Amino acid sequence: MADINIGKAPGNSAILPFYATGAVVFLVLCVVMFLTPESFTRHYFTPHLLTIVHLAALGWGTMIIFGAVHQLLPVICEQDLYSEKMASLSWYTLTLGIILLTWKFWNLDVGWVMISGGSLIVFSVVLFVVNVLKTAGICARYSAQKMFITGSAIWLLFTVSVGLLLAINLKMRSSIFPISHLEVLKLHAHMGIAGWFLQLIAGVSTKLVPMFLLGKSAKEYLLKRAFFFQNLGLILFLIDGFFFQITWRIFIEAGFVLLGIIFWLMYLFDAYKNRLRKRVELLMKHAFLSFLSLILAVLIIPVVYYSEGYRWVMVYGTLIFLGWITNIILGKTFKTLPFIIWNGHYKHLSGKVKVPLPKHLYSERLTIWQFRIFIAALLTFALGLILQHLVVIRIGLFLWVVLAVIYNVNVFKLLLHKTKKLA
């Protein structure tokens, strides 16, 4: 990571709370899933599953990503983060909003507490978007990463705004939407998946993956095409769903998004081919498996569309939230967080005395077990969903709890690290 301009990084107090909270929520998420396995054999619009999905999307995925973006965007733009205070405030409001929202989702207690939670989340996202746009706005150099990150931030604002309207809609006696609540819910979910998560991960990965592989690609045009087709497919899907209805045209729209994913992965593959570091580290394998999960999720959309029942909807969601988003976070946490911690403890000592390396601040042995258990957990849980076998689902969810415990032990080993006395 020698090419990171660490002088531009914000203070750890603006970043570390996101990582700590995300890790704790991941453990809570896995425990909640383990305690409610029957939720994965029913309709997706149930109180417990709504709680689980929002813990995964907001408390786990978005929480970690907020911390990572606040750290990485100044590196990409080679400018200070616009406001560290806004970053810290966004953590407070996001955390409180998630607590209120998921608390009331659990029993589907629709009211002003739930709406207040949603409002806090929207306010947190507004702070995030302003920080991203202001930081990117003073960036003199164009980069595809900046394009993806700013675009994803705007999609996130749309996503949470629609989510807040959905909460208000549940409270109202008459619908505020011209289409059914469940149809809007589908649009809301895919704004988050294809607008926020996909475009954010695409942008960040095109910076981090080449950096960790010591590779590069000169094919910037691939990223422009990726951005265009990902947005084209999503926009057409939203227009179709809101003004008409979701029909077989979803396959064309998903095809555009898949084309955008392929262009993005072609860029990463070109960087992989031109890498100087020939040995692929274990943590990078998380990223490669996550890309596979994403492609599988898009490919099974026809099965989800034509199948009866909800098993394939559950498989699709599992591939998205656990196979793709969780997988890439598990790997990237221990490629970024150790450097952040090291920077706070040893940057001023580097070159003066012998200091530990970032990889010495966490347990590499635990990351090996993390990788193994992740594969076992994902495969077992997915098999249980396909078979709709409650015992297999329970075993898979128990493995997820074990995985979350391992991840938390390693994360808090980093977060609680004390500067060693060096001669």
Side-chain angles (χ1 to χ4, degrees), residues 13-26:
S13 62
I15 298 170
L16 298 185
F18 290 100
Y19 280 93
T21 307
V24 172
V25 173
F26 180 46

Side-chain angles (χ1 to χ4, degrees), residues 7-15 18 70 74 80-92 131 135:
K8 299 296 181 183
N12 284 1
S13 62
I15 298 170
F18 290 100
H70 285 133
D80 292 342
L81 187 68
Y82 175 71
S83 173
E84 291 188 28
K85 290 182 179 179
M86 288 177 65
S88 295
L89 183 57
S90 70
W91 173 78
Y92 284 106
N131 232 348
T135 305

Side-chain angles (χ1 to χ4, degrees), residues 118-129:
S119 300
L120 283 168
I121 291 169
V122 171
F123 181 66
S124 175
V125 172
V126 169
L127 293 174
F128 175 76
V129 170

Side-chain angles (χ1 to χ4, degrees), residues 13-281:
S13 62
I15 298 170
L16 298 185
F18 290 100
Y19 280 93
T21 307
V24 172
V25 173
F26 180 46
L27 179 57
V28 171
L29 166 67
C30 292
V31 171
V32 169
M33 291 195 301
F34 177 69
L35 295 176
T36 58
E38 65 281 351
S39 299
F40 300 97
T41 62
R42 300 172 181 170
H43 192 280
Y44 54 85
F45 190 73
T46 59
H48 290 176
L49 199 59
L50 284 173
T51 304
I52 288 168
V53 168
H54 285 83
L55 281 173
L58 295 172
W60 168 230
T62 298
M63 186 70 70
I64 294 289
I65 288 172
F66 269 28
V69 170
H70 285 133
Q71 169 72 16
L72 189 62
L73 189 61
V75 174
I76 293 172
C77 294
E78 297 181 356
Q79 296 286 342
D80 292 342
L81 187 68
Y82 175 71
S83 173
E84 291 188 28
K85 290 182 179 179
M86 288 177 65
S88 295
L89 183 57
S90 70
W91 173 78
Y92 284 106
T93 51
L94 180 61
T95 302
L96 181 57
I98 290 167
I99 291 171
L100 295 178
L101 187 71
T102 54
W103 169 37
K104 290 303 178 180
F105 264 145
W106 187 250
N107 293 312
L108 204 59
D109 182 6
V110 180
W112 293 112
V113 174
M114 179 188 288
I115 292 171
S116 297
S119 300
L120 283 168
I121 291 169
V122 171
F123 181 66
S124 175
V125 172
V126 169
L127 293 174
F128 175 76
V129 170
V130 171
N131 232 348
V132 167
L133 294 181
K134 287 288 189 178
T135 305
I138 56 177
C139 180
R141 184 172 59 87
Y142 164 82
S143 73
Q145 291 84 15
K146 184 178 76 169
M147 175 179 65
F148 273 106
I149 292 173
T150 53
S152 69
I154 293 170
W155 277 118
L156 176 61
L157 182 56
F158 282 133
T159 302
V160 295
S161 298
V162 171
L164 176 59
L165 291 175
L166 282 167
I168 296 171
N169 191 59
L170 287 173
K171 177 71 174 173
M172 304 289 287
R173 292 185 178 180
S174 58
S175 178
I176 62 176
F177 296 111
I179 57 177
S180 75
H181 188 94
L182 288 179
E183 292 302 307
V184 179
L185 188 64
K186 294 175 186 177
L187 304 181
H188 165 66
H190 286 87
M191 261 191 270
I193 292 168
W196 165 233
F197 285 117
L198 175 58
Q199 293 181 38
L200 188 283
I201 291 173
V204 170
S205 65
T206 55
K207 177 70 175 182
L208 293 183
V209 171
M211 182 170 64
F212 294 137
L213 291 175
L214 299 180
K216 61 180 180 178
S217 173
K219 298 179 179 179
E220 190 90 354
Y221 66 89
L222 291 173
L223 297 182
K224 294 178 182 178
R225 293 177 184 177
F227 184 80
F228 173 78
F229 282 108
Q230 288 175 20
N231 280 281
L232 176 63
L234 177 56
I235 291 170
L236 290 177
F237 171 73
L238 295 176
I239 292 173
D240 223 8
F242 195 80
F243 293 104
F244 304 100
Q245 60 179 336
I246 298 175
T247 64
W248 59 268
R249 290 189 296 272
I250 191 177
F251 305 136
I252 298 175
E253 295 146 6
F256 284 134
V257 175
L258 180 59
L259 190 58
I261 292 170
I262 290 171
F263 280 126
W264 159 47
L265 296 182
M266 285 173 62
Y267 178 88
L268 294 182
F269 182 69
D270 189 55
Y272 173 81
K273 287 195 305 180
N274 296 314
R275 73 193 188 281
L276 295 177
R277 181 174 287 160
K278 297 304 179 184
R279 178 176 172 270
V280 177
E281 297 174 308

